[in-house]
Amino acid sequence: YHKAVDWALRHDEFYSTNEVAVARDLLKRGGERAAALRAGQAPWLAQTGLVVRAYQSKIDGSIQPYGLVVPPNFAPGGAPLRLDFWIHGRGEKLSELSFVDGRQKSPGQFVPPGALVLHLYGRYCCANKLAGEVDLFEALAHAKKYYPIDDRRLVVRGFSMGGAACWQFAVHYPGVWAAAAPGAGFSVIVRAWTDATRQKSQTASTREQSANLNEPEPRRAALLRGLVRTPAQADPHVGPTNFLAKPFVIQSTLSTAK
């Protein structure tokens, strides 16, 4: 709560006059949580409905917010719940102040019965690239400390810019999701990646053909017809075994982003 207001003041991110009242409300709510913690209490851990949470990022030590919609059937230590991620669309005025305020007032477009919904801030409006991509996994790791989450029922959703991010998560980490639902999300990155991969594959194929002119006739003919793919032709980033299925890839992402 404090950071959302502090950054709005530091960076002149008040975009309407009513956001002054929003800032005062966030400071009040933050003060109430601090007082509860001082008394050894944390009632929001058992709260249902709209709950604002945050974690400290391993990338830069900053506090990053996220919003939860907690179903009425939630109970601490209870049965594992489905979790849907919602990735927001572009909003140039979506400061942390605005995001946190919104997560206290609206459950969003999709509220599946009996499921948790986690609204990502995603480091503002970067279509969840780079640190914005890591944000999802850090938020998930934090939420798992307090809520029973079923890893077999993780769903990712988004619209517009959030739809593009949804495509990205679905393609980069297909083994993570039970389902992905991108809405109106551009996918030009997929086309650029495909074009680059095709060029790389063609170059590798040409080199392989040149290097294997002394191969036995049947295999050489097969190479020329493109019927045989050798290790030199294979792209290491293609194939289900190389998509994210284990935490080491996430850790690698975190290490690279530091």
Side-chain angles (χ1 to χ4, degrees):
Y1 288 101
H2 174 269
K3 176 172 174 265
V5 178
D6 179 48
W7 279 35
L9 289 169
R10 287 174 184 265
H11 304 296
D12 194 22
E13 293 178 338
F14 287 87
Y15 298 108
S16 63
T17 54
N18 69 340
E19 286 192 332
V20 174
V22 168
R24 287 174 176 160
D25 177 64
L26 295 192
L27 290 175
K28 177 176 178 292
R29 290 174 184 262
E32 290 170 352
R33 285 201 181 183
L37 288 173
R38 192 177 298 113
Q41 302 172 354
W44 55 90
L45 296 183
Q47 180 181 335
T48 60
L50 305 181
V51 184
V52 173
R53 300 301 305 270
Y55 67 88
Q56 185 172 21
S57 175
K58 294 180 180 179
I59 296 176
D60 55 9
S62 65
I63 303 300
Q64 295 298 321
Y66 65 91
L68 282 174
V69 183
V70 183
N73 58 315
F74 160 70
L81 300 171
R82 163 181 163 178
L83 173 66
D84 285 40
F85 289 95
W86 177 257
I87 308 173
H88 65 76
R90 180 176 177 178
E92 294 183 3
K93 296 180 181 179
L94 189 65
S95 62
E96 286 192 29
L97 183 82
S98 175
F99 174 80
V100 172
D101 180 52
R103 300 285 51 85
Q104 298 180 142
K105 295 178 178 177
S106 171
Q109 291 88 337
F110 293 95
V111 186
L116 289 159
V117 180
L118 194 157
H119 289 262
L120 296 164
Y121 185 53
R123 300 272 181 158
Y124 180 55
C125 288
C126 62
N128 292 80
K129 300 291 189 292
L130 303 174
E133 185 174 71
V134 176
D135 177 64
L136 181 146
F137 296 105
E138 290 196 308
L140 175 60
H142 184 265
K144 281 183 174 181
K145 295 178 182 179
Y146 304 97
Y147 301 92
I149 294 172
D150 188 346
D151 284 331
R152 299 170 301 173
R153 293 188 292 161
L154 298 178
V155 178
V156 61
R157 301 173 180 266
F159 187 79
S160 188
M161 184 187 75
C166 182
W167 273 117
Q168 172 180 294
F169 281 113
V171 172
H172 284 185
Y173 314 112
V176 172
W177 317 111
F186 55 86
S187 55
V188 292
I189 292 174
V190 174
R191 179 178 176 182
W193 178 86
T194 302
D195 290 345
T197 303
R198 184 182 298 112
Q199 179 62 41
K200 180 178 178 181
S201 179
Q202 290 171 347
T203 301
S205 177
T206 301
R207 289 174 178 170
E208 188 71 23
Q209 291 165 16
S210 299
N212 287 280
L213 291 177
N214 295 321
E215 289 283 344
E217 183 61 28
R219 184 172 186 273
R220 190 172 74 218
L223 279 170
L224 293 174
R225 291 197 305 272
L227 300 179
V228 175
R229 285 186 64 81
T230 67
Q233 290 174 286
D235 190 315
H237 300 293
V238 178
T241 57
N242 290 291
F243 284 111
L244 171 66
K246 298 180 181 179
F248 78 88
V249 178
I250 301 173
Q251 182 61 46
S252 174
T253 305
L254 290 171
S255 300
T256 303
K258 285 183 179 178

